[in-house]
Amino acid sequence: MQIKLAGLVPESIVDGPGYRFAVFAQGCPHKCPGCHNPHTHDFNGGKIYDTVRIAELVTEYKLTDGVTFTGGEPFCQPEEFLELAKSIEGYNIYCFSGYKFEELLAMKNSAVKELLSRIDVLIDGKFLQEQTSYLLKFKGSKNQRVLDCKESVRQGKAVVLSEKNH
């Protein structure tokens, strides 16, 4: 399956714990002021990649502890990111989204819901520049939540992880 991306970073140490293979979605409706990745906002930008090839690349990097979906907005391409998530089963998946968990559930989109069920940790909510702190772990602003995504899907409500669990 084809997916539109801003790029790939095979050995990221800032997009979750350990060495992560970061997949940057192209296109974002949120356009948060002060976003760290403004080049990912334009839906007409980026490059087309093949999800099978990305999965192969993930396995080629032996130090990879997990995979992070970020962006841009991964949930603007839920079918494509779901296909990628299925093909990297066994890897820990973190995902950053400007949507809140509750907004994602309210979309009533089967691909969104299945993708959520395959994500281990979801960092949700728009980036708010006025709530930035360098003391935050794996999130950009204080309003964002770090969620146990699989448990959140099971319970149908956001389940926040404690700092020591992520």
Side-chain angles (χ1 to χ4, degrees):
M1 179 177 277
Q2 303 286 291
I3 187 169
K4 195 169 205 185
L5 301 177
L8 303 168
V9 176
E11 295 176 341
S12 172
I13 58 168
V14 297
D15 296 303
Y19 284 104
R20 309 208 53 92
F21 195 101
V23 180
F24 289 83
Q26 182 67 45
C28 183
H30 311 296
K31 297 179 176 38
C32 302
C35 174
H36 188 67
N37 302 319
H39 64 284
T40 67
H41 293 178
D42 184 0
F43 284 93
N44 296 312
K47 187 173 150 187
I48 301 297
Y49 290 80
D50 184 81
T51 56
V52 172
R53 180 63 187 132
I54 296 168
E56 290 169 353
L57 288 171
V58 168
T59 63
E60 287 174 15
Y61 285 88
K62 302 302 179 202
L63 294 177
T64 300
D65 294 310
V67 178
T68 299
F69 299 158
T70 188
E73 176 56 66
F75 285 97
C76 286
Q77 300 181 75
E79 292 84 4
E80 293 84 348
F81 274 93
L82 173 58
E83 186 67 27
L84 181 55
K86 287 178 180 178
S87 65
I88 56 169
E89 196 155 4
Y91 284 92
N92 170 276
I93 299 175
Y94 270 51
C95 182
F96 288 82
S97 176
Y99 293 110
K100 295 191 91 167
F101 176 77
E102 295 81 1
E103 293 172 310
L104 292 167
L105 283 185
M107 290 178 181
K108 305 250 185 254
N109 179 315
S110 61
V112 168
K113 186 154 186 187
E114 188 175 348
L115 177 55
L116 286 169
S117 73
R118 292 176 179 274
I119 293 168
D120 295 289
V121 175
L122 176 69
I123 295 89
D124 77 341
K126 293 179 183 175
F127 170 74
L128 299 177
Q129 194 168 15
E130 64 276 9
Q131 292 191 29
T132 301
S133 169
Y134 293 109
L135 301 176
L136 300 172
K137 188 174 179 184
F138 305 130
K139 60 183 184 175
S141 56
K142 293 176 185 174
N143 63 297
Q144 295 173 315
R145 303 178 295 184
V146 180
L147 306 178
D148 179 331
C149 199
K150 291 178 180 177
E151 190 58 31
S152 295
V153 170
R154 272 192 282 281
Q155 292 188 28
K157 66 177 185 174
V159 176
V160 177
L161 283 170
S162 68
E163 281 273 330
K164 65 181 177 184
N165 290 335
H166 66 279

